[in-house]
Amino acid sequence: MDKKSPPNIYGVLGYPVRHSLSPLMHNAAFQALKINAKYLLFEKKPDELEDFLHSLTKENIYGLNITIPYKEKILDFVTLDKESFYLKQIKAVNTIVLENSIWKGFNTDIPGFSKDLKENIDPTNKRVAILGAGGGARAVAYVLANAGAREISIYDIDKKKSKEVANMIKSLFMNFRISSVDDIGQLDINQKDLLINATPIGLKDTDPCLIKEEMLHKDLFVYDLIYNPPETKLLSLAKKRGIRTSNGLKMLLYQGMLSFRIWTNKDAPQEVMWQALRGEN
């Protein structure tokens, strides 16, 4: 490793991002493979976004993960190749890389979530309720429809967004049963097999729990994309009821490994990254 040359910069762009554990796993991976690179947090307010994106090359930034609330907005900035052009319909990009002076966009949330979900529960023929309709929910809904879920109900406080996700899935998967609902009660969680939180509600200690205890039943599986804190109020409530749960830490690992591969063309050191996420190194 040439210590005289400045490191290539990678990072995660969002607002907020201070809770992100991505720097832990990526910097551990760079160190393990002796790659002269650093992974940083880029917390940018919406009015700072455009200036930041136009400064990437000047700042020696070669790749970024994109998180809330910019997974849709970043589409205006990137080029999608033939393999990832379907992301125009999904409207969610979470990884960008500079290749031959062109910023290319990918979604590693989709395979990352798919791998983790299938390690926990087979989504085939499952009835699913989704909280949230942002970029994460778009990836989740795509994975579920593609994996053969029976039906999806989706709720977001912004009804327009939940209808857009439903329409997106219907356009990609003909005759798939997906509906947007007007309130959480209409999700009929007591009739579902899988409940997924794809909102940022749960990141802060002061956040409420969106789900009432009586909505949960023992055969439900509850998956929260939030991984920090490791146990949100929703997961805590589910565990209290003896329900199987998962947070998004393994999804973070798997999508991070794919992002690492896109940026470096090297296989990500899975065990190194997992230990870093768990605070074991």
Side-chain angles (χ1 to χ4, degrees):
M1 183 168 68
D2 182 1
K3 294 183 179 176
K4 291 179 183 177
S5 62
N8 289 350
I9 303 298
Y10 300 89
V12 55
L13 167 65
Y15 187 76
V17 290
R18 268 172 269 186
H19 65 280
S20 176
L21 299 182
S22 291
L24 292 176
M25 67 172 171
H26 284 294
N27 286 322
F30 291 144
Q31 189 174 357
L33 298 188
K34 296 182 168 54
I35 296 171
N36 187 22
K38 273 186 189 175
Y39 188 102
L40 306 173
L41 297 176
F42 296 106
E43 184 165 284
K44 301 295 175 182
K45 296 176 182 176
D47 61 2
E48 299 172 318
L49 180 64
E50 194 168 337
D51 285 347
F52 174 72
L53 291 175
H54 286 108
S55 73
L56 297 183
T57 307
K58 187 178 70 178
E59 298 296 331
N60 211 35
I61 296 170
Y62 287 85
L64 291 172
N65 287 131
I66 313 296
T67 189
I68 293 170
Y70 301 132
K71 290 183 184 183
E72 295 170 62
K73 290 177 182 173
I74 202 71
L75 278 163
D76 297 330
F77 178 74
V78 299
T79 299
L80 299 174
D81 60 23
K82 285 181 183 176
E83 285 184 18
S84 52
F85 195 72
Y86 70 103
L87 297 178
K88 277 281 184 194
Q89 287 168 285
I90 297 175
K91 290 187 180 173
V93 162
N94 82 314
T95 299
I96 65 174
V97 64
L98 185 62
E99 282 186 8
N100 301 319
S101 302
I102 295 170
W103 284 97
K104 291 190 175 180
F106 303 86
N107 191 310
T108 63
D109 281 339
I110 289 172
F113 172 71
S114 179
K115 182 173 172 61
D116 186 30
L117 181 69
K118 288 172 182 177
E119 287 178 0
N120 283 288
I121 181 174
D122 179 1
T124 308
N125 212 31
K126 296 295 189 292
R127 296 160 298 184
V128 187
I130 300 176
L131 296 165
R138 285 174 171 273
V140 162
Y142 176 85
V143 166
L144 291 164
N146 195 45
R150 185 191 303 182
E151 65 178 57
I152 296 172
S153 300
I154 185 164
Y155 168 77
D156 193 283
I157 194 167
D158 184 338
K159 293 176 188 176
K160 184 183 171 198
K161 285 177 74 172
S162 56
K163 283 177 181 173
E164 284 175 355
V165 175
N167 289 335
M168 178 268 291
I169 291 296
K170 286 173 185 173
S171 73
L172 291 169
F173 302 92
M174 296 296 287
N175 302 318
F176 186 83
R177 292 176 61 190
I178 181 167
S179 59
S180 61
V181 300
D182 293 334
D183 63 63
I184 289 174
Q186 290 178 354
L187 286 172
D188 290 329
I189 294 168
N190 59 352
Q191 300 297 317
K192 297 296 193 288
D193 304 299
L194 177 61
L195 169 64
I196 299 172
N197 178 41
T199 77
I201 295 172
L203 282 172
K204 296 183 288 192
D205 288 342
T206 52
D207 285 345
C209 183
L210 295 175
I211 302 300
K212 293 176 181 167
E213 188 171 350
E214 59 267 23
M215 294 177 177
L216 303 175
H217 62 88
K218 64 179 178 63
D219 295 323
L220 188 68
F221 190 97
V222 178
Y223 190 112
D224 199 325
L225 267 62
I226 293 171
Y227 58 82
N228 188 15
E231 188 170 295
T232 58
K233 287 176 183 173
L234 172 61
L235 293 185
S236 179
L237 184 65
K239 285 184 179 179
K240 179 182 164 190
R241 294 291 299 262
I243 293 168
R244 291 186 303 144
T245 65
S246 178
N247 66 17
L249 195 63
K250 271 283 180 75
M251 175 184 171
L252 178 73
L253 170 70
Y254 293 145
Q255 70 77 25
M257 289 172 62
L258 292 164
S259 295
F260 186 90
R261 176 78 197 177
I262 288 168
W263 295 329
T264 66
N265 289 315
K266 296 180 186 296
D267 289 334
Q270 178 170 337
E271 194 54 39
V272 168
M273 294 171 82
W274 183 235
Q275 285 178 358
L277 285 175
R278 293 168 61 89
E280 293 171 2
N281 60 0

